[in-house]
Amino acid sequence: MEKKDIDWANIGFGYQKTDKRYVSNYVDGAWDDGALISDDTITMSECASVLQYAQTCFEGLKAYTTEDGKIVTFRPDLNAQRMFDTAKRLEMPSFPVDRFVEAVDEVVKANAAYVPPYGSGATLYIRPYLFGISPVIGVKPADNYQFRVFTTPVGPYFKGGIKPLTIKISDFDRAAPNGTGHVKAGLNYAMSLHAIVTAHEEGYDENMYLDAKTRTKVEETGGANFIFVTKDNKVVTPKSDSILPSITRRSLMHVAKEYLGLEVEEREVYVDELTDFAECGLCGTAAVISPVGKIVDHGKEICLPSGMTSMGDTTKKLYDTLTGIQMGKIEAPEGWIREIL
Ligand SMILES: *Cc1c(COP(=O)(O)O)cnc(C)c1O
Protein backbone atom coordinates (compact mmCIF):
# COMPACT_ATOMS: atom_id res chain seq x y z
CA MET A 1 0.00 0.00 0.00
CA GLU A 2 1.33 3.39 -1.08
CA LYS A 3 1.33 6.00 1.73
CA LYS A 4 0.02 9.50 0.96
CA ASP A 5 2.60 12.18 0.34
CA ILE A 6 2.28 13.95 3.71
CA ASP A 7 4.97 15.68 5.77
CA TRP A 8 4.18 13.46 8.77
CA ALA A 9 6.43 15.25 11.26
CA ASN A 10 4.77 18.64 10.65
CA ILE A 11 1.02 18.03 10.34
CA GLY A 12 -0.14 19.43 13.70
CA PHE A 13 -3.39 18.52 15.48
CA GLY A 14 -6.03 19.56 12.95
CA TYR A 15 -8.67 18.06 10.69
CA GLN A 16 -7.58 16.75 7.33
CA LYS A 17 -10.10 14.94 5.16
CA THR A 18 -9.31 11.30 4.35
CA ASP A 19 -10.83 9.04 1.67
CA LYS A 20 -13.51 7.04 3.49
CA ARG A 21 -15.81 7.27 6.50
CA TYR A 22 -18.32 4.81 7.99
CA VAL A 23 -22.01 5.68 8.31
CA SER A 24 -24.91 3.83 9.85
CA ASN A 25 -28.42 5.26 10.24
CA TYR A 26 -30.97 4.50 12.95
CA VAL A 27 -34.41 4.63 11.32
CA ASP A 28 -37.71 3.00 12.35
CA GLY A 29 -36.20 1.78 15.60
CA ALA A 30 -33.21 -0.11 14.17
CA TRP A 31 -29.64 0.45 12.96
CA ASP A 32 -29.18 -0.25 9.24
CA ASP A 33 -26.27 -2.33 7.90
CA GLY A 34 -23.92 0.65 7.62
CA ALA A 35 -21.35 1.29 4.88
CA LEU A 36 -18.15 3.07 3.99
CA ILE A 37 -18.82 6.20 1.94
CA SER A 38 -16.77 8.96 0.30
CA ASP A 39 -18.99 11.98 1.03
CA ASP A 40 -17.53 13.99 3.94
CA THR A 41 -20.61 16.23 4.25
CA ILE A 42 -23.92 15.65 6.05
CA THR A 43 -27.33 16.95 5.00
CA MET A 44 -30.00 17.16 7.68
CA SER A 45 -33.12 19.00 8.80
CA GLU A 46 -32.61 22.53 10.07
CA CYS A 47 -34.46 21.30 13.16
CA ALA A 48 -32.30 18.21 13.84
CA SER A 49 -32.00 17.46 17.57
CA VAL A 50 -28.21 17.75 17.38
CA LEU A 51 -28.54 21.34 16.15
CA GLN A 52 -31.30 22.42 18.53
CA TYR A 53 -30.60 20.53 21.76
CA ALA A 54 -27.04 19.25 21.34
CA GLN A 55 -28.04 15.60 21.32
CA THR A 56 -24.61 14.27 20.37
CA CYS A 57 -21.70 12.32 21.78
CA PHE A 58 -18.30 11.21 20.54
CA GLU A 59 -15.23 9.08 21.10
CA GLY A 60 -11.56 9.48 20.21
CA LEU A 61 -8.87 6.86 19.64
CA LYS A 62 -5.85 6.34 17.43
CA ALA A 63 -4.37 3.89 14.94
CA TYR A 64 -0.59 3.42 15.08
CA THR A 65 2.03 1.75 12.95
CA THR A 66 4.02 -0.57 15.21
CA GLU A 67 7.76 -1.23 15.09
CA ASP A 68 7.19 -4.32 12.90
CA GLY A 69 4.96 -2.44 10.44
CA LYS A 70 1.49 -3.51 11.61
CA ILE A 71 -1.43 -1.11 11.90
CA VAL A 72 -3.12 -1.42 15.29
CA THR A 73 -5.62 0.31 17.57
CA PHE A 74 -5.48 0.50 21.35
CA ARG A 75 -8.38 -0.95 23.39
CA PRO A 76 -11.16 0.09 20.94
CA ASP A 77 -13.63 -2.10 22.86
CA LEU A 78 -13.41 0.36 25.77
CA ASN A 79 -14.30 3.29 23.49
CA ALA A 80 -17.21 1.22 22.15
CA GLN A 81 -18.48 0.47 25.65
CA ARG A 82 -18.07 4.08 26.77
CA MET A 83 -20.09 5.37 23.80
CA PHE A 84 -22.70 2.69 24.53
CA ASP A 85 -23.03 4.07 28.08
CA THR A 86 -22.95 7.70 26.95
CA ALA A 87 -25.76 7.10 24.44
CA LYS A 88 -27.97 5.65 27.17
CA ARG A 89 -27.45 8.71 29.39
CA LEU A 90 -28.42 10.99 26.46
CA GLU A 91 -31.52 8.93 25.52
CA MET A 92 -29.95 7.91 22.22
CA PRO A 93 -29.96 4.37 20.79
CA SER A 94 -26.63 2.73 21.67
CA PHE A 95 -24.54 1.46 18.77
CA PRO A 96 -23.64 -2.21 19.42
CA VAL A 97 -20.13 -2.65 20.88
CA ASP A 98 -18.99 -5.32 18.39
CA ARG A 99 -20.26 -3.29 15.43
CA PHE A 100 -18.45 -0.18 16.72
CA VAL A 101 -15.15 -2.09 16.86
CA GLU A 102 -15.71 -3.50 13.33
CA ALA A 103 -16.62 -0.05 11.97
CA VAL A 104 -13.35 1.37 13.34
CA ASP A 105 -11.43 -1.52 11.69
CA GLU A 106 -13.12 -0.85 8.35
CA VAL A 107 -12.45 2.89 8.34
CA VAL A 108 -8.81 2.45 9.33
CA LYS A 109 -8.32 -0.20 6.62
CA ALA A 110 -9.94 2.03 4.01
CA ASN A 111 -7.66 4.93 5.02
CA ALA A 112 -4.50 2.88 5.62
CA ALA A 113 -2.57 5.19 3.29
CA TYR A 114 -3.07 7.93 5.89
CA VAL A 115 -1.73 5.96 8.87
CA PRO A 116 1.59 7.66 9.64
CA PRO A 117 4.70 5.46 9.48
CA TYR A 118 6.42 4.10 12.60
CA GLY A 119 8.79 6.55 14.21
CA SER A 120 7.19 9.69 12.69
CA GLY A 121 5.50 10.52 16.00
CA ALA A 122 2.27 11.08 14.07
CA THR A 123 -0.83 8.85 14.31
CA LEU A 124 -4.22 8.41 12.65
CA TYR A 125 -6.86 9.92 14.93
CA ILE A 126 -10.24 8.15 14.79
CA ARG A 127 -13.44 10.01 15.63
CA PRO A 128 -16.62 7.95 16.13
CA TYR A 129 -19.72 10.03 16.91
CA LEU A 130 -23.45 9.63 17.25
CA PHE A 131 -26.12 12.33 16.94
CA GLY A 132 -29.86 12.94 16.63
CA ILE A 133 -30.64 13.77 13.01
CA SER A 134 -34.45 14.01 12.86
CA PRO A 135 -36.36 17.21 13.72
CA VAL A 136 -37.48 17.97 17.28
CA ILE A 137 -38.98 21.23 18.46
CA GLY A 138 -40.72 20.16 21.66
CA VAL A 139 -37.98 18.94 23.99
CA LYS A 140 -37.65 15.18 23.57
CA PRO A 141 -35.17 12.71 22.06
CA ALA A 142 -35.00 12.48 18.26
CA ASP A 143 -36.54 9.51 16.42
CA ASN A 144 -33.63 9.02 13.99
CA TYR A 145 -29.87 8.99 14.56
CA GLN A 146 -26.64 8.72 12.66
CA PHE A 147 -23.43 6.98 13.77
CA ARG A 148 -20.30 7.98 11.87
CA VAL A 149 -16.58 7.30 12.07
CA PHE A 150 -14.01 9.43 10.28
CA THR A 151 -10.22 9.52 10.56
CA THR A 152 -7.66 12.29 10.28
CA PRO A 153 -3.87 12.09 10.52
CA VAL A 154 -2.48 14.09 13.45
CA GLY A 155 1.05 15.16 14.22
CA PRO A 156 3.21 14.43 17.25
CA TYR A 157 1.64 16.08 20.26
CA PHE A 158 4.94 17.23 21.72
CA LYS A 159 6.44 18.98 18.72
CA GLY A 160 9.83 20.39 19.64
CA GLY A 161 10.01 18.39 22.87
CA ILE A 162 7.99 17.97 26.02
CA LYS A 163 7.27 21.16 27.94
CA PRO A 164 5.46 20.98 31.30
CA LEU A 165 2.19 22.90 31.47
CA THR A 166 1.06 25.70 33.74
CA ILE A 167 -2.57 25.28 34.77
CA LYS A 168 -5.01 27.27 36.89
CA ILE A 169 -7.72 26.23 39.28
CA SER A 170 -10.85 27.35 37.46
CA ASP A 171 -13.75 29.26 38.96
CA PHE A 172 -16.00 27.63 36.37
CA ASP A 173 -17.41 24.14 36.87
CA ARG A 174 -17.09 21.40 34.29
CA ALA A 175 -19.60 18.90 35.65
CA ALA A 176 -22.38 18.89 38.21
CA PRO A 177 -22.98 16.12 40.75
CA ASN A 178 -25.56 13.80 39.10
CA GLY A 179 -24.89 15.55 35.76
CA THR A 180 -23.14 14.37 32.59
CA GLY A 181 -19.45 14.69 33.54
CA HIS A 182 -18.93 10.92 33.41
CA VAL A 183 -20.11 10.57 29.78
CA LYS A 184 -18.52 11.84 26.58
CA ALA A 185 -21.26 14.28 25.56
CA GLY A 186 -20.55 17.13 23.16
CA LEU A 187 -22.34 19.46 25.56
CA ASN A 188 -19.56 19.02 28.17
CA TYR A 189 -17.18 20.58 25.67
CA ALA A 190 -19.51 23.36 24.46
CA MET A 191 -19.81 24.76 27.96
CA SER A 192 -16.07 24.42 28.67
CA LEU A 193 -15.01 26.61 25.74
CA HIS A 194 -15.47 29.91 27.57
CA ALA A 195 -13.39 28.62 30.50
CA ILE A 196 -10.51 27.45 28.31
CA VAL A 197 -10.48 30.57 26.12
CA THR A 198 -10.40 32.67 29.30
CA ALA A 199 -7.57 30.55 30.77
CA HIS A 200 -5.54 30.91 27.57
CA GLU A 201 -6.06 34.69 27.57
CA GLU A 202 -4.67 34.73 31.10
CA GLY A 203 -1.61 32.77 29.97
CA TYR A 204 -2.51 29.29 31.30
CA ASP A 205 -2.39 26.09 29.28
CA GLU A 206 -5.32 24.34 30.95
CA ASN A 207 -7.94 24.50 33.69
CA MET A 208 -8.05 22.33 36.77
CA TYR A 209 -11.74 21.85 37.59
CA LEU A 210 -12.86 21.18 41.15
CA ASP A 211 -15.91 19.27 42.33
CA ALA A 212 -18.86 21.61 41.83
CA LYS A 213 -20.50 20.87 45.18
CA THR A 214 -17.72 21.60 47.68
CA ARG A 215 -14.98 23.09 45.47
CA THR A 216 -12.38 21.38 47.69
CA LYS A 217 -11.55 18.33 45.54
CA VAL A 218 -9.69 17.93 42.23
CA GLU A 219 -11.70 16.54 39.32
CA GLU A 220 -10.05 16.85 35.88
CA THR A 221 -9.31 19.28 33.05
CA GLY A 222 -11.59 19.93 30.07
CA GLY A 223 -10.40 16.83 28.23
CA ALA A 224 -7.90 14.90 30.34
CA ASN A 225 -7.78 13.11 33.72
CA PHE A 226 -5.16 13.81 36.38
CA ILE A 227 -2.55 11.50 37.77
CA PHE A 228 -0.30 12.55 40.64
CA VAL A 229 2.86 10.97 41.98
CA THR A 230 3.48 11.31 45.72
CA LYS A 231 6.92 11.99 47.18
CA ASP A 232 7.13 8.30 48.16
CA ASN A 233 6.32 7.31 44.56
CA LYS A 234 2.68 6.27 44.84
CA VAL A 235 0.52 6.95 41.78
CA VAL A 236 -2.75 8.67 42.74
CA THR A 237 -5.74 9.56 40.59
CA PRO A 238 -8.87 11.43 41.73
CA LYS A 239 -12.05 9.45 42.28
CA SER A 240 -15.39 11.07 41.54
CA ASP A 241 -18.66 10.17 39.83
CA SER A 242 -18.40 13.26 37.62
CA ILE A 243 -14.99 12.48 36.07
CA LEU A 244 -14.91 11.05 32.54
CA PRO A 245 -13.36 7.56 32.80
CA SER A 246 -10.26 8.07 30.62
CA ILE A 247 -9.02 4.90 28.94
CA THR A 248 -5.47 6.29 29.01
CA ARG A 249 -5.68 6.91 32.75
CA ARG A 250 -7.13 3.46 33.45
CA SER A 251 -4.35 1.93 31.33
CA LEU A 252 -1.64 3.98 33.08
CA MET A 253 -2.85 2.88 36.51
CA HIS A 254 -2.57 -0.74 35.35
CA VAL A 255 0.92 -0.09 33.94
CA ALA A 256 1.99 1.60 37.20
CA LYS A 257 0.92 -1.41 39.25
CA GLU A 258 1.66 -4.38 36.99
CA TYR A 259 4.65 -3.19 34.93
CA LEU A 260 6.39 -0.75 37.28
CA GLY A 261 5.39 -2.37 40.58
CA LEU A 262 4.17 0.91 42.07
CA GLU A 263 1.44 1.39 44.62
CA VAL A 264 -1.67 2.95 43.05
CA GLU A 265 -4.65 4.71 44.59
CA GLU A 266 -7.92 5.98 43.14
CA ARG A 267 -9.32 8.22 45.84
CA GLU A 268 -10.57 11.72 46.56
CA VAL A 269 -7.77 14.27 46.09
CA TYR A 270 -8.10 17.55 48.00
CA VAL A 271 -6.81 20.90 46.75
CA ASP A 272 -5.05 21.21 50.11
CA GLU A 273 -2.88 18.20 49.23
CA LEU A 274 -1.54 19.60 45.96
CA THR A 275 1.59 20.95 47.64
CA ASP A 276 2.46 17.40 48.79
CA PHE A 277 2.81 15.84 45.33
CA ALA A 278 6.09 15.33 43.47
CA GLU A 279 4.67 15.05 39.93
CA CYS A 280 1.44 15.74 38.10
CA GLY A 281 0.26 14.79 34.63
CA LEU A 282 -2.79 15.07 32.37
CA CYS A 283 -3.81 11.86 30.62
CA GLY A 284 -5.79 11.36 27.47
CA THR A 285 -5.55 9.80 24.03
CA ALA A 286 -4.11 12.93 22.38
CA ALA A 287 -0.86 13.23 24.38
CA VAL A 288 -0.91 10.06 26.54
CA ILE A 289 0.54 12.16 29.42
CA SER A 290 1.27 15.90 29.47
CA PRO A 291 3.38 16.81 32.49
CA VAL A 292 2.19 19.70 34.68
CA GLY A 293 4.93 21.92 36.13
CA LYS A 294 2.87 24.53 37.94
CA ILE A 295 -0.65 24.83 39.35
CA VAL A 296 -1.92 28.33 40.16
CA ASP A 297 -4.61 28.61 42.85
CA HIS A 298 -5.93 32.20 42.68
CA GLY A 299 -2.46 33.75 42.51
CA LYS A 300 -0.81 31.19 44.79
CA GLU A 301 1.73 29.20 42.79
CA ILE A 302 2.20 25.51 43.50
CA CYS A 303 5.41 24.46 41.75
CA LEU A 304 5.76 20.71 41.27
CA PRO A 305 9.24 19.48 42.31
CA SER A 306 9.57 17.86 38.84
CA GLY A 307 10.03 21.40 37.49
CA MET A 308 9.30 23.26 34.27
CA THR A 309 11.80 21.65 31.90
CA SER A 310 11.06 17.94 31.74
CA MET A 311 8.68 15.14 32.76
CA GLY A 312 9.10 13.79 36.28
CA ASP A 313 10.90 10.42 36.51
CA THR A 314 7.83 8.33 37.28
CA THR A 315 5.67 10.18 34.76
CA LYS A 316 8.36 9.49 32.15
CA LYS A 317 8.46 5.78 33.03
CA LEU A 318 4.67 5.58 32.73
CA TYR A 319 4.74 7.44 29.41
CA ASP A 320 7.54 5.29 27.96
CA THR A 321 5.92 2.03 29.06
CA LEU A 322 2.44 2.82 27.73
CA THR A 323 3.70 4.23 24.40
CA GLY A 324 6.04 1.20 24.18
CA ILE A 325 3.00 -1.08 24.53
CA GLN A 326 1.07 0.91 21.92
CA MET A 327 3.97 0.84 19.43
CA GLY A 328 4.57 -2.89 19.88
CA LYS A 329 7.94 -2.55 21.63
CA ILE A 330 6.71 -3.87 24.99
CA GLU A 331 4.41 -6.85 25.38
CA ALA A 332 0.81 -5.73 25.91
CA PRO A 333 -1.66 -7.17 28.39
CA GLU A 334 -4.13 -9.59 26.78
CA GLY A 335 -6.65 -7.80 24.57
CA TRP A 336 -5.11 -4.31 24.61
CA ILE A 337 -3.83 -4.22 21.03
CA ARG A 338 -6.12 -4.87 18.06
CA GLU A 339 -4.31 -5.71 14.87
CA ILE A 340 -6.03 -4.25 11.82
CA LEU A 341 -3.52 -4.72 8.99
C1 LIG B 1 -12.06 11.96 26.32
C2 LIG B 1 -11.82 12.59 27.63
C3 LIG B 1 -10.73 12.25 28.46
C4 LIG B 1 -9.64 11.31 28.01
O1 LIG B 1 -10.08 10.00 27.80
P1 LIG B 1 -9.20 8.97 26.97
O2 LIG B 1 -10.07 7.77 26.86
O3 LIG B 1 -7.98 8.69 27.76
O4 LIG B 1 -8.87 9.60 25.67
C5 LIG B 1 -10.64 12.83 29.70
N1 LIG B 1 -11.53 13.74 30.14
C6 LIG B 1 -12.59 14.11 29.37
C7 LIG B 1 -13.54 15.12 29.90
C8 LIG B 1 -12.77 13.54 28.10
O5 LIG B 1 -13.82 13.94 27.36
Side-chain angles (χ1 to χ4, degrees):
M1 175 252 321
E2 186 96 0
K3 290 282 177 194
K4 298 282 172 181
D5 182 22
I6 294 172
D7 180 10
W8 303 109
N10 293 301
I11 45 182
F13 203 96
Y15 171 75
Q16 185 180 339
K17 184 177 142 184
T18 56
D19 295 341
K20 298 287 179 187
R21 62 277 302 119
Y22 178 91
V23 181
S24 178
N25 286 296
Y26 184 89
V27 184
D28 295 334
W31 288 106
D32 69 11
D33 289 342
L36 287 175
I37 63 163
S38 298
D39 190 358
D40 62 316
T41 64
I42 302 171
T43 301
M44 69 178 93
S45 165
E46 64 187 355
C47 200
S49 78
V50 59
L51 299 178
Q52 302 311 322
Y53 303 126
Q55 201 184 15
T56 181
C57 64
F58 66 98
E59 276 299 327
L61 67 162
K62 286 172 166 181
Y64 316 83
T65 306
T66 60
E67 197 169 27
D68 54 357
K70 292 188 181 112
I71 294 176
V72 303
T73 50
F74 181 71
R75 312 187 79 180
D77 52 315
L78 297 191
N79 295 96
Q81 185 61 50
R82 195 167 63 187
M83 181 176 269
F84 194 93
D85 299 339
T86 298
K88 276 197 192 149
R89 178 64 177 77
L90 299 178
E91 289 295 336
M92 302 165 87
S94 288
F95 197 70
V97 166
D98 53 337
R99 285 198 56 194
F100 177 112
V101 173
E102 285 160 19
V104 168
D105 287 358
E106 277 190 46
V107 183
V108 172
K109 258 187 216 159
N111 295 299
Y114 292 92
V115 182
Y118 176 77
S120 64
T123 53
L124 188 72
Y125 186 75
I126 306 161
R127 170 52 59 86
Y129 57 118
L130 166 57
F131 57 95
I133 199 165
S134 56
V136 289
I137 195 76
V139 178
K140 66 178 174 67
D143 291 327
N144 300 336
Y145 294 83
Q146 189 166 99
F147 170 76
R148 281 175 94 100
V149 185
F150 69 75
T151 61
T152 185
V154 293
Y157 198 84
F158 297 116
K159 244 175 82 179
I162 288 166
K163 204 182 147 289
L165 307 178
T166 299
I167 67 175
K168 70 170 284 190
I169 294 184
S170 183
D171 290 323
F172 297 105
D173 293 321
R174 189 194 81 89
N178 310 309
T180 55
H182 62 302
V183 297
K184 217 166 169 76
L187 60 93
N188 290 340
Y189 280 74
M191 61 97 232
S192 75
L193 294 175
H194 178 62
I196 192 63
V197 169
T198 305
H200 286 164
E201 281 168 2
E202 294 169 356
Y204 300 102
D205 297 303
E206 266 297 346
N207 282 306
M208 170 182 273
Y209 292 107
L210 305 183
D211 74 293
K213 190 169 176 184
T214 72
R215 302 195 61 81
T216 58
K217 289 175 274 186
V218 175
E219 295 247 303
E220 61 172 319
T221 67
N225 285 180
F226 280 107
I227 52 163
F228 298 96
V229 181
T230 64
K231 286 173 182 150
D232 55 359
N233 219 23
K234 242 185 251 166
V235 181
V236 178
T237 193
K239 185 181 173 76
S240 154
D241 290 341
S242 45
I243 290 176
L244 193 281
S246 156
I247 294 162
T248 314
R249 184 258 301 164
R250 285 182 272 163
S251 303
L252 286 166
M253 295 304 275
H254 180 89
V255 163
K257 186 161 181 271
E258 304 298 334
Y259 284 64
L260 304 180
L262 301 174
E263 223 178 294
V264 297
E265 277 178 0
E266 185 176 355
R267 60 162 171 87
E268 293 179 325
V269 172
Y270 287 85
V271 175
D272 289 348
E273 297 179 62
L274 288 173
T275 48
D276 299 340
F277 292 121
E279 300 174 32
C280 171
L282 307 181
C283 5
T285 295
V288 182
I289 312 180
S290 311
V292 174
K294 196 192 284 183
I295 303 165
V296 180
D297 179 5
H298 301 90
K300 190 184 98 193
E301 293 195 349
I302 301 164
C303 297
L304 278 298
S306 51
M308 290 304 291
T309 52
S310 59
M311 270 196 187
D313 290 343
T314 299
T315 305
K316 178 92 170 51
K317 275 184 205 149
L318 286 167
Y319 178 84
D320 288 345
T321 309
L322 188 60
T323 54
I325 289 170
Q326 290 171 334
M327 296 297 171
K329 288 194 287 194
I330 297 173
E331 193 176 350
E334 178 79 32
W336 277 26
I337 301 294
R338 184 169 174 94
E339 213 178 293
I340 292 179
L341 269 181

